[in-house]
Amino acid sequence: MTASLALYRFGTRLLEPLAPWLVEQRIKSGKENPDRIGERFGVSQAERPKGTMVWMHAASVGESRLLLDVFAALRKRRPNVSALVTTQTTTSADMIAAWAPANVIHQMAPVDGPKAVEAFLQHWQPDAAVFAEGEIWPNMLGALKAHGVPAALINARMTEKTLRSWNSRKASAAQVFGTFGFIGAADQLTADGLSGATGRRIATIGNLKTATAVEGPSSEAVASFRVGVNGRPIVLAASTHPGEDEFARDAFTEVRIRKSGALMIVVPRHPDRGDAITSLMRESGMTTQQWSKDKSPPAADVDVLVADTIGELLFWYAVSDAVYLGGATAEGVGGHNPVEPIQLGKRVFTGPHGFNFRETFEALEKTGALIVGRSYQELSDYWIDALDEAQPAPLLGAFFTASRAPFEQTLDAIIAMLPVSRPADNSVNSNA
């Protein structure tokens, strides 16, 4: 063990008794569910399902959705496999509760303390572990290796700052990432950075979020909503972050002047911001309805619908006429996946700070399916143009066909880690 890893392990062991106090502070700030605190220390009321089980871990909403897609595809090849999915945020926990099938158990991720990690692994005894994107916890990875649990890091994406940090500690990087038998990088930056840090060749598999086949909502549900709003033109501001709600509001102010009867739907990335966005819109003089409190189709006098619920984003993509995708107008977020609305036939406007999806953005810009702009005037012009004339669906068959290859390659790697057979019981307890 390297000196820095030994220091990390010593420090986390020393500080682990303080973890309950830290979690208590998170409860007070609304970042933890008090009924699920035991899970943070590896203690669970849920039983491990019999048979083969893969543990899948992600930080937040986007990565969690990717893991559910990967698991759905995995089940088509190995029908008796069950999954334990852990996440760091309550928002992702709510999303999994809304979307996960019965053969998925959700737990809050344990803190990376030696005791919590050991309790977690002793209880769940996973046959394999799959980490998504950039979730690297040295104690957990060390314990997986000690327990002989094979692991994979899929859709690996890291910032230049993080990669520089790992390259400054190459011996530790080699040891930590050595736990992963398979590492699939989402982009060339991550592949090159991890190759340099670990001394092993890391392949650029590609961003798996562009490879997921999107299944949209029923046409009946979409038509019913459109009828309910009397066919009003609809613009959408999706996955917004602080500052982007104001950006969309300013653009929509112009749209309202030039397109009488237009409705704007705002879907915040974090639904708990719904009250604040509703107040913002009302203070701007816009009649606003909050979906979490009133699920009736907005009346003719409603200017803005704040759709602050979990698991309905695909529906809002489908009912809208033009899409603004947040996450890349606000600095520091890195953008969000534009593939879902594009697969549903929408052209997408987004901001210039989509560094997490740089290669995807560049490829989609060339097709005309993605428009990148900096000002709210550009967004209002885009929305108005889209409402003036129906947008032809982007022709992207070749783009998505090519992107399925890395998805299949990743599935192959996960299946290779699983035991050939294990006594199975299809009854899986759900504790989402």
Side-chain angles (χ1 to χ4, degrees), residues 4 14 48 93 133 152 163 168 176 193 196-197 236 257 288 315 320 335 359 365:
S4 61
L14 192 66
R48 186 207 189 279
E133 305 211 353
L163 292 168
S168 69
V176 168
L236 175 68
I257 295 172
T288 303
F315 177 75
S320 66
E359 294 173 2
E365 268 196 283

Side-chain angles (χ1 to χ4, degrees), residues 68 90-102 106 309-312 430 432:
L68 291 180
T90 55
T91 300
S92 55
D94 292 340
M95 186 276 293
I96 291 173
W99 281 94
H106 177 267
T309 52
I310 291 287
E312 296 187 280
S430 176

Side-chain angles (χ1 to χ4, degrees), residues 121-353:
L121 291 178
Q122 288 287 355
H123 179 80
W124 291 108
Q125 299 181 30
D127 292 291
V130 177
F131 285 56
E133 305 211 353
E135 281 289 282
I136 306 300
W137 298 101
N139 285 332
M140 179 60 78
L141 293 176
L144 284 173
K145 183 180 290 187
H147 282 258
V149 179
L153 178 62
I154 68 171
N155 212 47
R157 294 188 308 157
M158 297 181 187
T159 65
E160 290 185 23
K161 181 179 178 181
T162 298
L163 292 168
R164 283 197 302 271
S165 176
W166 282 117
N167 271 273
S168 69
R169 297 173 290 133
K170 292 186 176 183
S172 295
Q175 186 170 333
V176 168
F177 288 95
T179 301
F180 298 117
F182 171 83
I183 299 176
D187 53 47
Q188 195 62 46
L189 172 69
T190 302
D192 292 343
L194 288 181
S195 294
T198 63
R200 60 189 274 198
R201 182 181 177 276
I202 306 298
T204 304
I205 300 299
N207 195 323
L208 299 185
K209 290 178 180 178
T210 68
T212 303
V214 174
E215 187 173 331
S218 72
S219 57
E220 293 82 2
V222 172
S224 176
F225 184 87
R226 296 292 310 216
V227 169
V229 298
N230 295 317
R232 297 169 64 187
I234 300 174
V235 298
L236 175 68
S239 295
T240 61
H241 293 258
E244 294 178 329
D245 312 300
E246 292 87 346
F247 184 83
R249 174 203 61 192
D250 293 345
F252 185 61
T253 298
E254 179 69 18
V255 173
R256 291 174 68 204
I257 295 172
R258 296 171 58 182
K259 286 292 177 183
S260 177
L263 170 69
M264 179 170 70
I265 301 174
V266 180
V267 184
R269 183 67 172 181
H270 302 289
D272 58 4
R273 296 179 53 242
D275 289 345
I277 297 171
T278 300
S279 296
L280 170 72
M281 297 300 169
R282 288 174 177 167
E283 289 167 3
S284 301
M286 297 182 185
T287 303
T288 303
Q289 177 179 327
Q290 196 168 351
W291 188 249
S292 62
K293 298 175 181 177
D294 180 0
K295 286 187 167 59
S296 60
D301 64 340
V302 173
D303 302 305
V304 178
L305 173 64
V306 178
D308 54 340
T309 52
I310 291 287
E312 296 187 280
L313 184 55
L314 291 181
F315 177 75
W316 301 123
Y317 283 144
V319 302
S320 66
D321 295 305
V323 175
Y324 160 58
L325 182 62
T329 301
E331 295 188 27
V333 177
H336 294 304
N337 181 18
V339 168
E340 289 179 336
I342 290 171
Q343 283 201 40
L344 294 177
K346 313 293 179 178
R347 280 183 164 80
V348 175
F349 181 101
T350 193
H353 305 297

